[in-house]
Amino acid sequence: MEGLVYLDHAATSWPKPPAVAAAMMEALQQSGANAGRGNHSLAIGTGRVLVRARAMLAELFGVANAQDIAFTHNTTMGLNMAIKGTLQRGDHVISTMTEHNSVRRPLEYLRRTMEIEVDYVRVDQQGELNLVELKGMMRPNTRMVICNHSSNLLGSILPVGEIGDIAKSHGAVFLVDAAQSAGSLPIDVTAMNIDLLAFPGHKGLLGPQGTGGLYISPHLDLEPLMHGGTGSQSENSDQPSVRPDRYEAGTQNAVGIAGLLAGVKAVKALGIEQIHRQEWELTQLLMEGLAMIPSIRILGPAAGAQRSGIVAFVAEGQDSASIAYRLDRQYQIAVRAGMHCTPLAHQAVDTLKSGAVRASVGVSSTEEDVHKLLYAMTDMLGASRTR
C-alpha cells in the first residue's frame, strides 16, 4: 500500500500500531485457549489478557469496576444490547438527528414491534442541538436518552455532560455512542452521568476489527441480547447474574482483545489530549484549503470550532461517490462517500440527495496527507484556489 493516503479513520483506523499485530500473534501462538473454559495454564493465560484489557478500558473511561464493561464485536452490538436490553413496551426515547443507523434502526424496530415512542432532537447546520428543546421533549415515560458523542458525518461534538445532567434529573437512562470519540476525546462515565457507553475497538482505540465494548452502570440490569455458555453457573438454565458473564455468552474474540489491549496502550502513551489536538489541527488545515475551492461546501462546525477528526463536504454539481472513486483510482487517496449510515444528519444539512465526501484523520495522519487531498480536489475540479 505504498503511496496510499488513508483518510478514512472514522470507518476504522489504519495502519494499526505494530504492537497490535504482535500482540495478536503472541495470543495465537502462546495463549490461544478459551478463557473461562478450563483451569489449565493456556486458558488462564487467555483470561489474564481479557482482565488486563478490561481494566485498562475502565481506567480510560473512568469506570470504577472493570467488570461493568462487557466485550462486544463492535459498537453496533453494544448499542443493540443497550437499547433492546433496556426498553419496554410503551417507553419513550429521545435521540438526535445526528445518530447512526446503529441507533436509529433498533429504535424504529422497537417502535414497530413494541410501540415505543421516539423523538429526534433537531440539529442546525453546524450539528449543534438545542438543549432547551431536548428538555421540552422529556415526558414522565421517557426511559432513555441516546446521543452520539460526535457525529460521524458532521464531526460536531455534542455536550454529553450537559445532556447527561438532563437525563439524570428526569430519571432517564443515558446511552452514549462513542464510535467517533473513544480514544480521541476525554470520556468519564461518572462525571458525564453516562449509564451506558458503547464503543468500538477498531477506530480511535487502534485495535483490530471485531472488537468493542459496552459499559453498563451497576445500577442497571439489562436483559441479555444473547444467551448461552459463559463458563460460569453452568448448572443453571438461566443466564448468569454475575458480570461480565451475563452479557458475554459464547467464545470471546481473545486474539482481537489482545490486539485491542495493545491499541489502548498506544492511545494512553500518546495521550487523549495530544491525539485530539493533532486531529483538530489537521481538520483546520483541511478546512482552510477546501474553503479556497469555490464549488465546495464544508459540512459541520465552522473553522475554529471544536470538532472531531472528520471533515465532510459536497462539491456543487459533482456526485460524491464519483469524487471518492476518482480520489482512490487517480490519486491513491482513501475517503468515504455516500450517506454514512446517518440519513437524518444528511437531512439536517440538506445533503440527503447528494450525499457527501468524508475525509477523516487519525493518529497516523500527517499534514502531507491533507495537502495531497487538497491538491487532488483542486486538480479534479479544475479550479484554482481563491481567498
Side-chain angles (χ1 to χ4, degrees):
M1 305 303 293
E2 185 177 352
L4 174 68
V5 174
Y6 186 79
L7 292 172
D8 196 20
H9 291 269
T12 195
S13 56
W14 186 88
K16 308 296 182 182
V20 171
M24 295 174 71
M25 184 59 70
E26 181 181 349
L28 275 173
Q29 294 176 335
Q30 299 184 23
S31 59
N34 204 342
R37 270 57 169 194
N39 293 324
H40 54 80
S41 58
L42 284 179
I44 293 171
T46 301
R48 288 188 180 125
V49 171
L50 271 59
V51 167
R52 288 198 296 268
R54 217 184 297 272
M56 189 159 284
L57 288 165
E59 182 181 345
L60 189 69
F61 298 134
V63 174
N65 184 353
Q67 301 301 99
D68 291 329
I69 295 177
F71 287 119
T72 65
H73 299 312
N74 44 51
T75 316
T76 299
M77 181 178 176
L79 290 168
N80 273 265
M81 287 170 61
I83 292 169
K84 295 175 181 176
T86 302
L87 297 176
Q88 299 178 357
R89 186 175 299 276
D91 282 343
H92 173 242
V93 182
I94 298 173
S95 190
T96 82
M97 288 188 71
T98 62
E99 301 312 311
H100 191 276
N101 277 339
S102 297
V103 168
R104 189 185 180 203
R105 284 177 173 170
L107 288 180
E108 294 302 327
Y109 170 78
L110 293 182
R111 191 206 293 263
R112 294 193 305 271
T113 60
M114 293 179 57
E115 298 178 352
I116 70 164
E117 301 172 282
V118 184
D119 283 318
Y120 297 99
V121 184
R122 295 174 298 175
V123 296
D124 61 20
Q125 292 286 315
Q126 285 71 49
E128 296 182 0
L129 58 79
N130 187 322
L131 292 175
V132 175
E133 181 179 347
L134 188 153
K135 287 181 183 179
M137 289 180 172
M138 301 296 296
R139 306 180 193 171
N141 66 328
T142 301
R143 174 62 174 153
M144 179 177 275
V145 175
I146 309 173
C147 76
N148 56 65
H149 197 174
S150 175
S151 166
N152 76 314
L153 172 68
L154 306 177
S156 53
I157 299 173
L158 296 188
V160 168
E162 294 174 73
I163 296 172
D165 289 341
I166 294 171
K168 183 178 181 180
S169 68
H170 288 81
V173 173
F174 185 35
L175 166 60
V176 174
D177 173 1
Q180 301 301 335
S181 62
S184 60
L185 292 176
I187 298 174
D188 187 314
V189 297
T190 302
M192 294 174 168
N193 289 312
I194 297 172
D195 298 299
L196 297 159
L197 179 79
F199 58 91
H202 67 101
K203 297 187 182 185
L205 296 180
L206 307 181
Q209 291 155 321
T211 62
L214 176 68
Y215 160 71
I216 306 168
S217 167
H219 305 296
L220 295 178
D221 181 21
L222 304 186
E223 284 296 318
L225 183 65
M226 295 177 60
H227 298 78
T230 60
S232 62
Q233 301 180 2
S234 297
E235 68 280 6
N236 296 333
S237 60
D238 293 332
Q239 198 69 5
S241 57
V242 63
R243 296 186 178 195
D245 298 20
R246 182 166 177 75
Y247 305 109
E248 292 185 349
T251 297
Q252 284 289 9
N253 178 14
V255 173
I257 294 169
L260 173 58
L261 173 58
V264 176
K265 286 180 179 177
V267 168
K268 290 178 70 65
L270 290 167
I272 297 289
E273 291 184 1
Q274 174 58 33
I275 291 172
H276 178 59
R277 185 182 305 112
Q278 174 187 329
E279 292 183 357
W280 185 81
E281 289 174 354
L282 290 175
T283 62
Q284 299 309 297
L285 179 64
L286 177 56
M287 292 173 68
E288 179 183 349
L290 289 174
M292 296 180 185
I293 304 175
S295 60
I296 285 182
R297 175 167 72 98
I298 303 170
L299 308 181
Q306 284 298 310
R307 64 159 65 220
S308 60
I310 292 171
V311 177
F313 58 91
V314 293
E316 183 179 354
Q318 300 288 325
D319 177 68
S320 61
S322 296
I323 290 176
Y325 180 85
R326 291 183 62 189
L327 285 172
D328 178 47
R329 296 300 191 272
Q330 294 178 220
Y331 304 93
Q332 288 188 284
I333 300 173
V335 298
R336 183 177 172 188
M339 301 306 299
H340 309 91
C341 301
T342 182
L344 293 183
H346 278 282
Q347 180 181 325
V349 294
D350 302 319
T351 54
L352 194 56
K353 293 182 178 179
S354 65
V357 179
R358 184 186 72 186
S360 49
V361 300
V363 295
S364 62
S365 300
T366 65
E367 291 188 7
E368 183 181 3
D369 293 337
V370 171
H371 287 305
K372 286 182 177 179
L373 175 59
L374 292 173
Y375 167 80
M377 290 306 305
T378 303
D379 185 54
M380 185 188 310
L381 299 178
S384 58
R385 290 195 231 171
T386 61
R387 290 193 179 273

